[in-house]
Amino acid sequence: MVIAMTAIWAAIAAVWLSMHNWDTEESMKALAQAFTEQPAETEQQAPAEQEEPAVKEEQEATEETEQPEAQPEEETPAPAPTDATVYPEIDQLPSEPTIVNGILLANKQHPLPETYAPGESAEARAAFDTMAQAAAKDGLQLVAFSTYREFARQKQLYEGYVAKDGQEAADRYSARPGYSEHQTGLAFDIGEAGQEQHWASSSFGDTPGGKWVKENAHNYGFILRYPQGKEQITGYMHESWHFRYVGKEAATAIYNQNITLEEYLGI
C-alpha cells in the first residue's frame, strides 16, 4: 500500500512538473499561489450570502406597507317615494301655510292652519271670468260652482262623506279639514251651465266644456289639479272639474310638460 501511494504521488508530481515546463522553482511558486488565492474566493462569495436576508426584509417591509386595493363602495338604495295618498301622523295643524317658489301648496303632506281664511282670490276670479268670456265665444257657458271654503265648511263636508262612504273611501276624493285646496281660495270647481248632471263628475271631462277647459285653462293661469293616473303624486283621485289657479307662467309650464303641481315644485 505504501508503494502504491508513493507511485500515485510520484505520478501527480510528474504531471505538475510537466505543466510547468519541468521547472521545479516555478512549480513550487504555482503551488503556493494556489493555496493563497483560495481564501480570497471564499471572501468574495460571503457578501452575496449576507445580502439575501436584507432583500427579504425589504420585501417584507414593502408587503406590510402596501395597502389593499380599495373596494368600490356599495350604492345606497334610493329611498322609496312617499305615497302622497297617505296623511302624515301629526298632532296639530301648522301655524303657517307652505309656500314654494311663490306658490301656495296645500295637499295631504302640506296642510293649512285652521285659521287660514283668505276668502276667494280676486286674481283667480278675474282670470276665470276672462276664461269664461273666451269660452262663451265658442258657445260654452262655464260656471265656477264651488270656490273658497273655510275650514269649518270643509270639516262639515268631510264628516258627511265619512259617514256615507267610510273614511278610507272619503280620503280618496275629499280632503280632511285643513288639507283642502278650496281653503286657499285658489281652487275652482268648474262646470257648464245646462250640464249640471256632469258637475263634480268625471264625465265632465268628456263634455265639450270639459275638453275646452282642459285644453285652454293654462292660458288663463289655471291647471287641472288632479290629472288621471297621478293619484300617488297629488294624493287624490282624478277630478276633471277641479282647477287650481297658479298664474300663467307656472300653468303653461305644467301644461306643456304634462306634469302635476307637486312635480313642478319638486315636492
Side-chain angles (χ1 to χ4, degrees):
M1 177 131 180
V2 175
I3 297 173
M5 290 297 295
T6 303
I8 291 172
W9 281 108
I12 293 173
V15 172
W16 185 265
L17 288 171
S18 64
M19 290 174 61
H20 296 85
N21 299 320
W22 300 96
D23 188 334
T24 303
E25 184 178 354
E26 184 178 344
S27 298
M28 294 303 293
K29 289 181 179 180
L31 183 60
Q33 184 176 0
F35 280 103
T36 56
E37 289 179 354
Q38 185 173 356
E41 292 177 1
T42 305
E43 292 175 0
Q44 291 175 357
Q45 294 175 358
E49 295 176 353
Q50 294 173 355
E51 289 177 1
E52 185 175 351
V55 173
K56 185 177 181 181
E57 291 176 1
E58 182 178 351
Q59 291 175 345
E60 291 177 351
T62 303
E63 290 174 357
E64 291 177 357
T65 56
E66 285 181 353
Q67 298 295 326
E69 293 184 3
Q71 297 298 323
E73 294 183 0
E74 294 184 3
E75 294 185 2
T76 303
T82 301
D83 185 353
T85 65
V86 179
Y87 283 98
E89 296 182 3
I90 59 174
D91 295 329
Q92 60 182 13
L93 295 173
S95 59
E96 296 292 337
T98 300
I99 298 177
V100 182
N101 296 334
I103 295 178
L104 177 61
L105 180 64
N107 58 21
K108 290 181 178 178
Q109 282 67 49
H110 301 86
L112 300 165
E114 181 176 348
T115 56
Y116 189 75
E120 182 185 88
S121 167
E123 183 178 348
R125 169 55 70 173
F128 173 78
D129 290 343
T130 301
M131 179 170 64
Q133 292 172 7
K137 294 179 181 179
D138 291 334
L140 301 169
Q141 189 176 353
L142 299 181
V143 178
F145 60 85
S146 179
T147 60
Y148 172 70
R149 293 185 208 139
E150 62 181 2
F151 180 91
R153 175 56 178 161
Q154 185 64 34
K155 184 175 185 293
Q156 182 183 30
L157 288 172
Y158 176 76
E159 290 177 348
Y161 293 136
V162 170
K164 176 176 176 289
D165 298 324
Q167 185 172 21
E168 183 177 352
D171 280 343
R172 291 194 63 203
Y173 64 81
S174 178
R176 295 178 184 180
Y179 294 82
S180 174
E181 271 209 328
H182 284 284
Q183 191 179 340
T184 68
L186 298 167
F188 279 51
D189 287 344
I190 300 174
E192 185 180 353
Q195 300 290 323
E196 285 79 7
Q197 71 272 24
H198 298 296
W199 287 13
S201 171
S202 59
S203 60
F204 174 68
D206 298 323
T207 66
K211 293 177 180 178
W212 190 96
V213 177
K214 182 179 179 181
E215 295 174 0
N216 294 279
H218 65 281
N219 294 320
Y220 305 92
F222 287 91
I223 60 170
L224 178 63
R225 183 64 179 93
Y226 305 123
Q228 197 161 13
K230 299 285 189 175
E231 185 173 348
Q232 299 298 317
I233 299 175
T234 64
Y236 296 98
M237 60 185 293
H238 170 53
E239 294 185 355
S240 62
W241 65 92
H242 184 114
F243 288 80
R244 160 70 192 272
Y245 182 77
V246 294
K248 290 183 181 180
E249 181 179 352
T252 300
I254 291 170
Y255 176 82
N256 288 339
Q257 296 177 54
N258 191 29
I259 58 176
T260 64
L261 179 60
E262 281 79 8
E263 290 171 305
Y264 176 74
L265 296 177
I267 301 300

